[in-house]
Amino acid sequence: MMTTRELQDEILRLKKEKDVCILAHAYQNHEILEIADYTGDSYGLSKQAAAAPQQNILMCGVRFMAETVKILSPEKHVFLSNREAGCPMAEQLEVEGLQRLKEQYPDHTVVAYINTTAKLKTLCDVCVTSSSAVKIVKNIPNDKILFIPDCNLGAWVEKQIPEKKFQFIQGGCPTHLFLTREDMAYAKEQHPDALVLVHPECRPEVTDLADYAGSTTGIMSFAEKSDAKEFIIGTENSIVEHLQFQCPDKRFYPLSKNCICRNMKLTTLMGVYNCLLGRDGEEIHMDETLRRDAMRPIENMLKLGG
Ligand code: 13P
Ligand code: SF4
């Protein structure tokens, strides 16, 4: 039986032999981050996908992330390491629903969180991620914004850009919606000296009580640079583990033990190994018209996000 370390070594050998770049979202387990060429938040992964020199990309994340890579790099073979790994938020709004919203708000710029399907992106003006949303929305020359699908991230952006008028739908990330005001009260009582760092996908009642809100990468760099020694982390619990590796002298506590994305956790080391051997995972194929239409809002994101 192979040990974890032997399996990781075999993956490192195979990815070199097969010219594969492994991208891993920060919500992956630590042993997955260790075999990746690049790890980060959704925005970082999109930029890295376009820059990677390898001919093959293996995404350890969820489907919309692999789709984004394919949209940006059509000449590459792009694989999702577990074909079942979707994002429930990305599937909350159908094309017909968005068409109706656009008829209702015809003079609004449609801003889509990147956690959307490629099909839905074809109807949007610009994509954003949690780390780029405020900057991008500020740079949009229209002050009427239809923000889909996450109304919690949208509300957080709206607070920072009060001069613009936003319309939202009822959508959100089921993982972050687990976090409540009661969790916050309990965690603060348990760790009164800790700073609270949360993701803006949390409900406003949670984000409003935090010391910092930002993307996964934002949370990690805030904790690293801070002089504080203890932190309560309000996002997917893998970040708690990564931070413990990154800053062994500091202490990190999950805001709730329930903040686990089941879809992100479908990726395993053995799954990555099998995908590299062509025994598991899925290659992403995309119709060229769909790809070109879905690329427009992503290109706008990269342009406006800098
Ligand atoms: P970021 O990586 O952009 O912070 O997004 C978090 C997330 O939920 C990804 O699915
Ligand atoms: Fe989707 Fe939320 Fe999981 Fe991110 S954490 S992939 S938004 S369900």
Side-chain angles (χ1 to χ4, degrees):
M1 191 171 72
M2 265 198 271
T3 64
T4 301
R5 189 183 294 180
E6 284 165 352
L7 185 54
Q8 285 179 316
D9 285 344
E10 192 52 14
I11 289 172
L12 295 178
R13 189 189 68 72
L14 278 170
K15 73 170 183 174
K16 209 167 168 190
E17 180 189 299
K18 295 175 180 268
D19 194 32
V20 179
C21 168
I22 299 184
L23 300 179
H25 188 268
Y27 289 163
Q28 295 294 312
N29 285 332
H30 204 78
E31 71 263 22
I32 304 278
L33 297 202
E34 286 177 349
I35 49 94
D37 295 87
Y38 180 82
T39 68
D41 63 13
S42 310
Y43 191 67
L45 292 178
S46 320
K47 287 211 306 193
Q48 195 60 31
Q54 292 89 341
Q55 268 316 296
N56 305 290
I57 308 252
L58 172 51
M59 173 58 75
C60 299
V62 294
R63 183 169 293 274
F64 78 82
M65 295 176 173
E67 281 186 355
T68 304
V69 175
K70 186 65 185 175
I71 290 167
L72 289 169
S73 306
E75 73 292 352
K76 294 187 182 172
H77 295 286
V78 179
F79 300 88
L80 178 61
S81 66
N82 186 313
R83 64 175 65 230
E84 299 299 327
C87 167
M89 170 151 65
E91 287 143 31
Q92 275 162 2
L93 184 59
E94 299 284 341
V95 165
E96 296 73 26
L98 181 54
Q99 266 157 349
R100 279 196 297 275
L101 283 166
K102 284 178 64 149
E103 281 159 24
Q104 210 177 329
Y105 302 108
D107 51 353
H108 286 54
T109 297
V110 182
V111 176
Y113 196 16
I114 198 155
N115 301 35
T116 38
T117 60
K119 237 176 169 179
L120 206 73
K121 285 185 176 80
T122 63
L123 295 180
C124 300
D125 297 307
V126 56
C127 285
V128 295
T129 68
S130 53
S131 57
S132 61
V134 174
K135 182 176 181 187
I136 289 174
V137 176
K138 271 188 185 156
N139 284 340
I140 292 172
N142 187 357
D143 60 1
K144 294 196 187 89
I145 305 293
L146 173 59
F147 193 101
I148 57 148
D150 187 358
C151 60
N152 297 311
L153 176 73
W156 177 73
V157 175
E158 183 183 35
K159 273 197 194 112
Q160 295 169 77
I161 317 179
E163 65 279 16
K164 298 209 179 202
K165 198 159 165 26
F166 288 73
Q167 296 295 338
F168 303 116
I169 59 159
Q170 282 305 315
C173 161
T175 307
H176 288 87
L177 287 179
F178 264 117
L179 301 175
T180 61
R181 190 182 305 175
E182 288 71 34
D183 291 326
M184 190 68 115
Y186 181 73
K188 281 185 167 188
E189 193 186 303
Q190 297 295 308
H191 311 289
D193 297 328
L195 290 182
V196 184
L197 318 182
V198 307
H199 196 282
E201 284 175 19
C202 293
R203 303 164 195 271
E205 69 187 50
V206 171
T207 313
D208 287 348
L209 295 173
D211 296 293
Y212 170 83
S215 76
T216 47
T217 308
I219 290 174
M220 291 181 77
S221 84
F222 183 98
E224 190 172 21
K225 288 183 196 140
S226 169
D227 291 333
K229 292 285 175 232
E230 291 183 81
F231 303 86
I232 295 163
I233 303 298
T235 190
E236 216 281 340
N237 285 344
S238 281
I239 300 297
V240 178
E241 189 190 14
H242 304 328
L243 279 168
Q244 270 156 359
F245 276 90
Q246 194 171 304
C247 313
D249 297 336
K250 298 180 178 178
R251 302 292 308 275
F252 300 95
Y253 316 104
L255 178 49
S256 159
K257 62 185 177 189
N258 293 322
C259 196
I260 295 168
C261 177
R262 283 180 293 167
N263 282 279
M264 285 285 182
K265 294 297 173 290
L266 286 175
T267 299
T268 61
L269 218 44
M270 198 47 95
V272 172
Y273 173 66
N274 283 330
C275 188
L276 285 168
L277 291 175
R279 302 197 293 219
D280 203 351
E282 177 183 327
E283 179 166 1
I284 305 291
H285 295 286
M286 200 175 289
D287 172 81
E288 184 53 17
T289 311
L290 169 64
R291 189 193 71 77
R292 250 187 282 126
D293 291 348
M295 182 148 87
R296 195 176 28 82
I298 297 177
E299 276 182 337
N300 286 339
M301 169 182 85
L302 296 172
K303 216 181 321 161
L304 293 170

